[in-house]
């Protein structure tokens, strides 16, 4: 873990805490930094100095920049382990989702493009049909990644990914785990309405 000094920014602290608490539905002020959340986080070793407890701390201190741009926001896998362990029932997964939205609204580029592409492709595919069709969803995801790599002239990365996906697809076919069928559901309008309601509330 890198030693990083967290600084209190009194002018922005109150507004930031209020905004994140309202949008995430989490009572951040209840956090007393016991670090039980950090002890169980499966990605904590990959996120540098920002563990779940420190993310809450950054918000309470009013450091908007570090709260919006850090590895935990992009690497959190929403496993909810931290919330299960927290004596104050603070769900960091809700906080990381909120910060991702705030980061997007502030027009900051995603720290992890693949995470943003995965999320976008998954939501789009799910909302269109009410079910995830793997070929459509993975195709959209891989296309976004390839276009991003091509724009950066990373041709080898595109080639390596194509080879990897081809091998992976073949292995899945052999195991009969590839789903070619088209899935849809009658309730997809309801799912769209729920998603819209969620967006409006956030
Ligand atoms: S477990 Fe809860 S109270 Fe303890 S540091 Fe984490 S968020 Fe704060
Ligand atoms: S929900 Fe996110 S922050 Fe919490 S333990 Fe899981 S990966 Fe870590």
């Amino acid at each position: 873990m890198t030693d990083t000094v967290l600084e209190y920014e009194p002018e922005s602290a109150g507004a930031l805490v209020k905004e994140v608490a309202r949008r995430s539905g989490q009572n951040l002020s209840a956090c007393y930094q016991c670090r039980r959340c950090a002890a169980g986080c499966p990605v904590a070793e990959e996120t540098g100095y920002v563990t779940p407890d420190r993310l809450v701390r950054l918000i309470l201190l009013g450091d908007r920049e570090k709260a919006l741009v850090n590895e935990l926001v992009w690497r959190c896998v929403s496993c909810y382990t931290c919330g299960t362990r927290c004596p104050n029932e603070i769900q960091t997964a809700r906080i990381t989702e909120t910060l991702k939205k705030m980061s997007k609204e502030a027009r900051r580029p995603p720290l992890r493009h693949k995470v943003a592409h995965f999320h976008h492709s998954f939501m789009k595919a799910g909302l269109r049909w009410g079910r995830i069709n793997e070929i459509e969803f993975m195709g959209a995801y891989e296309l976004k990644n390839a276009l991003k790599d091509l724009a950066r002239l990373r041709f080898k990365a595109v080639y390596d990914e194509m080879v990897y996906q081809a091998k992976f697809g073949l292995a899945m076919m052999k195991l009969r785990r590839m789903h070619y069928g088209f899935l849809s559901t009658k309730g997809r309008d309801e799912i769209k309405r729920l998603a819209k309601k969620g967006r409006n509330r956030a």
Side-chain angles (χ1 to χ4, degrees):
M1 183 189 290
T2 313
D3 270 343
T4 300
V5 178
L6 308 183
E7 286 176 20
Y8 180 48
E9 300 190 18
E11 280 170 24
S12 52
L16 184 62
V17 175
K18 261 192 206 157
E19 182 177 0
V20 178
R22 179 183 59 78
R23 296 180 66 166
S24 68
Q26 304 307 300
N27 181 10
L28 306 176
S29 307
C31 173
Y32 43 59
Q33 293 290 296
C34 65
R35 303 204 75 221
R36 288 188 66 177
C37 50
C41 176
V43 299
E45 287 193 4
E46 311 291 328
T47 57
Y49 72 94
V50 184
T51 44
D53 59 304
R54 282 206 158 191
L55 184 64
V56 174
R57 193 84 183 135
L58 283 171
I59 299 163
L60 292 174
L61 291 175
D63 195 332
R64 178 175 279 266
E65 184 61 29
K66 287 199 189 104
L68 290 184
V69 184
N70 67 75
E71 290 286 344
L72 184 63
V73 165
W74 290 96
R75 288 186 185 266
C76 169
V77 292
S78 298
C79 65
Y80 284 76
T81 305
C82 50
T84 310
R85 292 180 164 217
C86 175
N88 295 312
E89 297 177 2
I90 297 170
Q91 297 288 357
T92 312
R94 301 259 170 88
I95 299 172
T96 54
E97 272 311 304
T98 299
L99 293 170
K100 264 202 220 81
K101 281 183 204 146
M102 287 168 63
S103 174
K104 190 176 174 193
E105 287 162 12
R107 298 186 180 278
R108 290 167 197 274
L111 213 55
R112 298 275 148 204
H113 284 100
K114 285 190 174 179
V115 174
H117 293 161
F118 190 93
H119 183 84
H120 187 252
S121 306
F122 185 91
M123 289 303 291
K124 213 165 173 192
L127 286 175
R128 185 178 297 133
W129 305 113
R131 299 286 297 270
I132 297 295
N133 289 286
E134 286 173 6
I135 291 184
E136 177 204 15
F137 153 55
M138 284 307 288
Y141 167 65
E142 290 296 341
L143 184 64
K144 282 180 202 293
N145 290 338
L147 290 174
K148 185 85 193 167
D149 281 335
L150 287 174
R152 293 167 161 179
L153 307 179
R154 297 181 65 214
F155 303 115
K156 181 150 182 350
V158 176
Y159 174 78
D160 288 347
E161 181 67 11
M162 282 170 67
V163 171
Y164 172 78
Q165 287 298 336
K167 283 184 185 165
F168 189 56
L170 278 174
M172 295 276 282
M173 278 165 74
K174 278 186 194 157
L175 292 168
R176 297 175 189 248
R177 301 294 295 174
M178 283 286 271
H179 299 143
Y180 302 103
F182 177 79
L183 301 170
S184 182
T185 176
K186 285 182 192 160
R188 62 181 196 252
D189 286 339
E190 193 179 350
I191 293 171
K192 280 181 194 164
R193 276 199 300 279
L194 280 171
K196 192 174 173 195
K197 201 170 166 185
R199 274 198 297 273
N200 292 340
R201 278 190 63 188

